Each structure stands twice: as structure tokens, then as C-alpha cells.
Amino acid sequence: MTTIDELISGYTDEPGYFDFAKWGPISRPVVEEERALVDVQARARFGSEVALTEQAGRVRRAVSAVVGFPADQVVFQPDTSSGLVHTLFGLTGQVLMSPRDYPSGPVAATRAAAAMRVLEPVWMDLDHDVVTPAVVQRHLTDRVTAVAVSLVDYRTGYLVDLEGIRQVIGDRLLIVDAIQGFGVVDAPYGVADVIASGGQKWVRAGWGTGFLALSERASATLTPVFSGVAGTELRLGGSYHETLPTLPGAAAFQITNSDPIAQARFSTALEGIASVGVAAISREIADRASRLIDIADEFALPVVSPRDEAERAGIVVLEPSPEQMTTLTAALLNHGVTATVRDTTVRLSVHLSTDDDSFDLLRGALTSFGTTVYY
């Protein structure tokens, strides 16, 4: 069992980093695991291949421990988008989704609709720019076979009500792009049929890491369109001119053998999270996000992301007046505060390693901003 302080001690990012919603600096244990396996791969000592090949099973078990899906219903993916492409190209009927979600889902849906001609995206008209059970219910018809949502909206930081959405959609497939909450949101993943996520953000495992988890209903419903060598019941040395059967369950949704070192990085990060517990991590993230909101209020910067802990995760979005945007951006830059700036908003995101030094840098930036703003 790892304590939360021990988990925090493994992070080495420098103060001022408030951009975990973009990507999370990897931890020291992840770095050490990668170095160890790179050395194994470089030396190719007799029998060393076992240490590499065993990572596929390890990563399935690590994901299973966090999301609660059986390990045999989990398959490693190099990123969230790959998992969503597998899902939406394999879906038939109408899929209800938000046109404002991160483009991984909408792009996969429109590409699948154009190429396969068996899927039709249905776009929700949102209330207050967020997806709620009421919005979903208003758009449901008998032709809708699946609903796709983001666990946390990348623009607004809004945490979707998965249980409420499950209640209104009945036995339709519930597809969840979990990337902006996976690892820091204690979500009821058991109500979902498909979960896709990457490990480069809140899990802090680096790029090239992710997974796709399927319920039994999803496994029976989805067609593994992009099932390659690794997803096929294949015996090397034969003839391959005939259609080969796919592997059962989630294993069918893969193309080729994955990078074992990426799998090891992902496993190491997830094992640390599971040892502490997502619920404990979520409480710490909530406290830091609340502190961030308090500082924004102190400097009269409008917070346009949710304030209610039940509706937010680790993202806080500020929207200064248009004439203040350049000044605020410059103040953050000059004080070494890393954030995501888009059009009219500044997105700040916190993690366990967001400490007093980081908040001091942010306060210094906002103090500088405040002294140059005239009302």
C-alpha cells in the first residue's frame, strides 16, 4: 500500500506547472521503469524477452484495477483516439454526441459515417454548453443505439453525470472518452459500455499509452473493423488468403503488437494510482482546484468552469475581459506559470504535485496582472 505522500514524492515537475489537462510530466517511478526495460531491450540477454512480453498482461490488470472491468475485457491502445476509432467504426445505427466535445470522438464518428455508411452521428443542442442527462433525454429516439460523452469537458472542465445519463438512455451503449478525468475522477465506470482513455495527461505515463475497455454488451455489439494481426486468431507459417477469425472480446480491437515499454510505463503509473486509490486522489485534486478558484476570486478573475465539486475535476477556466487577455497571458508567462490559453479563456489544471510553490508563482503572476489593469 502506497501513501499519498509517497505517490507525490515521485513527481519531479518544477513549480508553476498548471497544465495537466494538456499533458502530465511523468513520475520518477515511470522514468525508472522505462530505463530498466530499455536496458533489457538493448542487451537482449538470454531469456530477457519474457520481461517484455509479460507487459501486455500486466497493463490489462493495471487498467482493470482502476476501472473495474475484467482484465480480459481490456486492450491496450496507444492513445484515446485509437480506442474511439475502433469503437465508432465498429458501431451501427445512430450515435448521439456533442459537437463541442474534443474532436477525437466527433472526427471518428464523421469518418466512420462517411466510410462505412452504417453509422449516423446525431448532434446534441446543448444547454449552457454542457452535456446533462436532461439534454441527452431530449434527443433520444428509437433509432439512437449509442450515446458518446466526455467524462470531463476539455473546454469547460464540466464533469458529466454518467449515472444520470445511464438512467435515461436505458440499454443503449454508453461510450465514454475518459481522458480528461481518468486517474483523478472517482467515476462510476461500471455504468459505461465503452471506456477509452490515454495515459499522457492525469495518469502521467507519457505519450503512446492508453486503453479500450468494453462491457460484454459492447463486445457483442461492436464489429472489430480494424482488427489486425494482434487481434486475429493467427498461426504463423500458414496461408493468409482467407478471412481469419478475430480474437474474442476486447482483444479483437487491436492492430499489431504494442510497445512493451509504453505498456510498462502505463502499468507503473496505474499501479501507483490503484495503490493509493482514485477516491483519495480525487479529494486532493478537489482541494487544489478549490484553492485555485479562491485565488481567482481574490483577483476578480471570472471563473467560467463549475464551482460545485460534484460538477468538476481538476480543471479551472478563467475568462477575463477581452482587453485584459493579453496582459494576463503575459503575466503568467513572465512568472513561469504554464497554462493553456485559447481565444478568450485561460485553462489552469492541478494535480497532486501542485504545491505551495506553484500557487505562490500563480499569485505573483496575478498580482502583477492586477497592478497593470485599470477599471
Side-chain angles (χ1 to χ4, degrees):
M1 183 69 180
T2 304
T3 68
I4 200 156
D5 288 336
E6 289 172 336
L7 185 62
I8 292 172
S9 69
Y11 298 125
T12 58
D13 41 302
E14 295 186 4
Y17 193 79
F18 286 87
D19 216 7
F20 298 93
K22 186 175 184 180
W23 63 274
I26 61 177
S27 67
R28 184 168 53 249
V30 170
V31 171
E32 291 170 351
E33 184 76 359
E34 178 174 48
R35 286 174 177 165
L37 283 181
V38 166
D39 187 61
V40 168
Q41 190 178 44
R43 292 176 181 273
R45 185 174 297 163
F46 177 77
S48 62
E49 185 182 2
V50 174
L52 299 172
T53 57
E54 69 183 6
Q55 298 305 320
R58 179 190 177 194
V59 76
R60 289 195 299 272
R61 294 189 296 271
V63 173
S64 174
V66 176
V67 302
F69 279 48
D72 62 0
Q73 286 299 96
V74 174
V75 64
F76 182 81
Q77 299 286 331
D79 46 62
T80 312
S81 295
S82 294
L84 292 173
V85 166
H86 274 294
T87 301
L88 291 163
F89 269 79
L91 189 63
T92 299
Q94 289 187 342
V95 57
L96 181 62
M97 57 199 317
S98 167
R100 301 280 283 160
D101 272 349
Y102 190 79
S104 290
V107 168
T110 56
R111 295 286 190 271
M116 306 299 292
R117 305 192 179 210
V118 294
L119 180 70
E120 179 187 357
V122 177
W123 306 107
M124 287 183 267
D125 182 16
L126 305 180
D127 293 337
H128 309 293
D129 214 23
V130 296
V131 177
T132 65
V135 169
V136 172
Q137 187 172 40
R138 189 171 69 235
H139 290 84
L140 289 177
T141 68
D142 291 341
R143 296 182 62 197
V144 173
T145 57
V147 176
V149 298
S150 291
L151 178 60
V152 177
D153 188 290
Y154 81 104
R155 300 167 300 111
T156 66
Y158 178 78
L159 174 62
V160 75
D161 180 4
L162 287 183
E163 292 177 314
I165 291 173
R166 167 51 72 195
Q167 289 177 7
V168 301
I169 70 172
D171 61 359
R172 296 173 177 87
L173 291 185
L174 178 55
I175 301 165
V176 180
D177 175 349
I179 183 64
Q180 283 296 5
F182 183 63
V184 293
V185 172
D186 191 19
Y189 290 117
V191 304
D193 292 290
V194 177
I195 306 168
S197 184
Q200 81 276 18
K201 297 182 186 286
W202 306 95
V203 176
R204 306 180 66 165
W207 285 278
T209 61
F211 73 95
L212 177 67
L214 304 178
S215 69
E216 290 186 8
R217 176 168 49 189
S219 294
T221 302
L222 299 177
T223 302
V225 174
F226 296 110
S227 187
V229 172
T232 302
E233 293 182 356
L234 175 68
R235 290 186 180 181
L236 293 177
S239 178
Y240 314 121
H241 63 283
E242 295 180 352
T243 301
L244 297 171
T246 57
L247 293 169
F253 296 86
Q254 53 186 329
I255 296 173
T256 189
N257 294 324
S258 299
D259 177 2
I261 296 177
Q263 291 175 328
R265 283 191 279 112
F266 199 29
S267 297
T268 300
L270 289 174
E271 288 160 359
I273 290 170
S275 183
V276 171
V278 177
I281 294 171
S282 181
R283 288 192 294 270
E284 293 284 338
I285 299 297
D287 289 344
R288 286 162 174 75
S290 294
R291 184 174 177 182
L292 187 51
I293 291 171
D294 289 342
I295 293 174
D297 288 343
E298 181 182 340
F299 288 89
L301 277 167
V303 175
V304 295
S305 52
R307 292 174 176 268
D308 186 345
E309 284 189 22
E311 296 182 347
R312 62 173 164 86
I315 294 174
V316 175
V317 182
L318 310 180
E319 189 172 31
S321 61
E323 62 271 16
Q324 295 176 350
M325 189 66 181
T326 300
T327 303
L328 176 59
T329 302
L332 294 172
L333 179 64
N334 291 337
H335 286 77
V337 174
T338 304
T340 290
V341 178
R342 286 196 181 98
D343 298 327
T344 62
T345 62
V346 174
R347 187 185 69 184
L348 299 156
S349 45
V350 294
H351 203 267
L352 296 178
S353 55
T354 309
D355 57 11
D356 290 342
D357 290 340
S358 288
F359 282 110
D360 287 345
L361 285 175
L362 178 63
R363 183 178 292 279
L366 297 187
T367 299
S368 177
F369 163 74
T371 60
T372 59
V373 172
Y374 298 93
Y375 299 92

